[in-house]
């Protein structure tokens, strides 16, 4: 088994590289998202430190594009095509299987169905060039630091642990879409209450300022501009934006709390993937896959 050749590379090295790239992908995703959110976020589908889509992606572009590895342009274009295709297929499959979305590019420019976007695709192309020129030689050297026997044992042990971890994670993921309708209903009510509170706060701020936002706008439109009025409009808008951001953060916290009452994995999914409900909404709108059940 270990000597099985795929495009000139034996299975032993492929298996080792797969787990190394899966770990590096998890490390990148977790660090990037954690820094952005200011808190630790495990971005893997499983509990362990592996993001296997990165392992699959890295190996796919390497094995497919190995024959053109001397041509930077073909590496870049090939990386864009191969990695983007893998990302799209993975997103579509996960949405179809779990009825939830695990990433969403709907707010990005030049996106397609929220599953892929131009910016990320170009990033995959650059990553592919870096993979061949910088990263993979380091990974190859790393695999030579331990004996073949050690590598074989490590792959077997990691695979067993991964399968067990994946089974528990998948079991939780299969039931997420059953819980989302109840969560969405509760969150809609919370959202309405928080928006009402925000509106009351804004009205008080406008009242205390002595000028309503509508009045200020009319004055500006009639060219009765004064610097203090402009500054006041800006201040009110900033406070409104800050309040809306607080509402989004509070709703996310409450969603995580509701998920935590079900299971640890569900809470972890909701924390790491805030757009899970997008897949549910697509499923509800277009009716693909199996029928959703309302959470009890």
């Amino acid at each position: 088994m270990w000597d099985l050749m795929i495009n000139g590379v034996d299975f032993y090295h492929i298996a080792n590289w797969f787990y190394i790239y899966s770990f590096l992908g998890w490390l990148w995703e977790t660090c990037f998202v954690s820094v952005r959110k200011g808190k630790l976020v495990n971005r893997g589908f499983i509990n362990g430190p592996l993001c296997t889509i990165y392992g699959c992606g890295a190996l796919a572009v390497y094995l497919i594009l190995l024959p053109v590895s001397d041509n930077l342009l073909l590496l870049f274009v090939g990386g864009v095509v191969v990695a983007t295709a893998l990302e799209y297929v993975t997103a579509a499959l996960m949405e179809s299987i779990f009825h939830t979305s695990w990433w969403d590019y709907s707010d990005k420019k030049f996106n397609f169905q929220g599953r892929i976007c131009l910016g990320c695709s170009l990033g995959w192309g650059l990553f592919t060039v870096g993979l061949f020129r910088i990263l993979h030689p380091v990974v190859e050297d790393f695999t030579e630091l331990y004996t073949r026997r050690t590598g074989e044992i490590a792959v077997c042990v990691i695979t067993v642990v991964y399968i067990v971890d994946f089974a528990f994670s998948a079991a939780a993921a299969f039931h997420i879409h059953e819980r989302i309708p109840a969560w969405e209903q509760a969150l809609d009510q919370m959202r309405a209450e928080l928006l009402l509170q925000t509106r009351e706060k804004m009205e008080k701020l406008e009242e205390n300022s002595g000028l309503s936002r509508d009045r200020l706008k009319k004055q500006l439109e009639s060219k009765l501009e004064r610097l203090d009025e402009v500054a006041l409009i800006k201040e009110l808008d900033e406070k409104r934006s800050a309040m809306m951001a607080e509402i989004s953060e509070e709703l996310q916290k409450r969603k995580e709390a509701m998920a935590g009452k079900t299971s640890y994995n569900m809470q972890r999914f909701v924390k790491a993937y805030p757009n899970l409900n997008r897949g549910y909404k697509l499923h509800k709108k277009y009716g693909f896959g199996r029928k959703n059940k309302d959470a009890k």
Side-chain angles (χ1 to χ4, degrees):
M1 178 186 75
W2 298 109
D3 295 323
L4 175 67
M5 303 297 289
I6 301 176
N7 201 16
V9 183
D10 62 78
F11 181 74
Y12 167 79
H13 285 92
I14 289 176
N16 278 263
W17 297 343
F18 171 75
Y19 284 122
I20 292 172
Y21 282 122
S22 293
F23 171 73
L24 293 176
W26 173 87
L27 192 63
W28 158 253
E29 281 273 336
T30 297
C31 290
F32 180 74
V33 176
S34 296
V35 169
R36 287 183 60 188
K37 293 192 174 184
K39 59 182 179 181
L40 180 62
V41 178
N42 179 4
R43 283 283 288 183
F45 179 77
I46 65 171
N47 289 281
L50 295 174
C51 215
T52 52
I53 189 174
Y54 279 88
C56 292
L59 286 178
V61 297
Y62 180 77
L63 295 175
I64 292 174
L65 301 178
L66 188 58
V68 297
S69 58
D70 293 331
N71 190 314
L72 289 180
L73 179 59
L74 289 179
L75 278 181
F76 176 79
V77 175
V80 169
V81 173
V82 174
T84 300
L86 178 64
E87 185 175 35
Y88 180 84
V89 170
T90 303
L93 284 175
M94 294 189 76
E95 286 176 11
S96 180
I97 294 171
F98 300 113
H99 305 159
T100 47
S101 295
W102 300 84
W103 57 86
D104 183 15
Y105 298 134
S106 297
D107 61 336
K108 306 294 184 183
K109 291 183 178 179
F110 309 110
N111 76 85
F112 181 66
Q113 298 179 350
R115 295 166 174 166
I116 55 176
C117 69
L118 180 60
C120 287
S121 294
L122 294 178
W124 295 134
L126 293 174
F127 168 77
T128 300
V129 174
L131 173 75
F132 276 89
R133 291 293 184 268
I134 302 172
L135 185 57
H136 192 69
V138 175
V139 171
E140 281 187 302
D141 290 340
F142 177 78
T143 58
E144 300 304 320
L145 294 178
Y146 48 85
T147 65
R148 186 181 179 95
R149 183 60 177 170
T150 299
E152 293 174 355
I153 294 174
V155 167
C156 291
V157 172
I158 293 173
T159 299
V160 171
V161 174
Y162 172 79
I163 291 174
V164 174
D165 196 342
F166 182 87
F168 282 101
S169 299
F174 272 119
H175 293 290
I176 287 180
H177 74 282
E178 298 174 358
R179 302 290 177 179
I180 288 179
W183 295 347
E184 288 296 307
Q185 184 177 1
L187 289 173
D188 284 342
Q189 183 177 353
M190 295 175 192
R191 186 179 293 107
E193 294 173 356
L194 291 172
L195 286 173
L196 180 59
Q197 294 174 11
T198 299
R199 181 178 179 181
E200 292 174 350
K201 289 180 181 179
M202 286 304 303
E203 288 177 349
K204 287 182 179 179
L205 285 173
E206 291 174 354
E207 183 180 348
N208 293 335
S209 69
L211 289 170
S212 69
R213 194 168 183 273
D214 291 337
R215 181 183 171 189
L216 286 172
K217 281 190 171 182
K218 289 179 181 179
Q219 289 178 331
L220 290 177
E221 290 172 356
S222 61
K223 298 183 180 179
L224 297 175
E225 297 185 271
R226 292 203 304 269
L227 291 177
D228 57 337
E229 292 175 347
V230 174
L232 186 53
I233 282 184
K234 183 177 180 181
E235 182 181 354
L236 290 174
D237 281 340
E238 288 176 350
K239 289 182 178 180
R240 187 186 302 274
S241 298
M243 289 179 184
M244 295 305 294
E246 289 177 2
I247 289 177
S248 297
E249 185 177 351
E250 181 62 25
L251 289 173
Q252 179 63 20
K253 288 181 180 178
R254 296 192 185 188
K255 187 190 296 186
E256 292 174 12
M258 286 188 288
K261 294 178 181 179
T262 305
S263 72
Y264 168 76
N265 272 329
M266 280 199 183
Q267 185 180 45
R268 181 172 61 82
F269 288 149
V270 169
K271 182 179 179 181
Y273 305 99
N275 295 307
L276 286 169
N277 60 334
R278 174 181 173 273
Y280 159 76
K281 291 177 179 178
L282 287 175
H283 170 74
K284 185 177 180 181
K285 181 177 181 180
Y286 298 109
F288 58 84
R290 64 184 185 181
K291 188 176 182 180
N292 281 311
K293 299 178 181 178
D294 291 334
K296 295 182 180 179

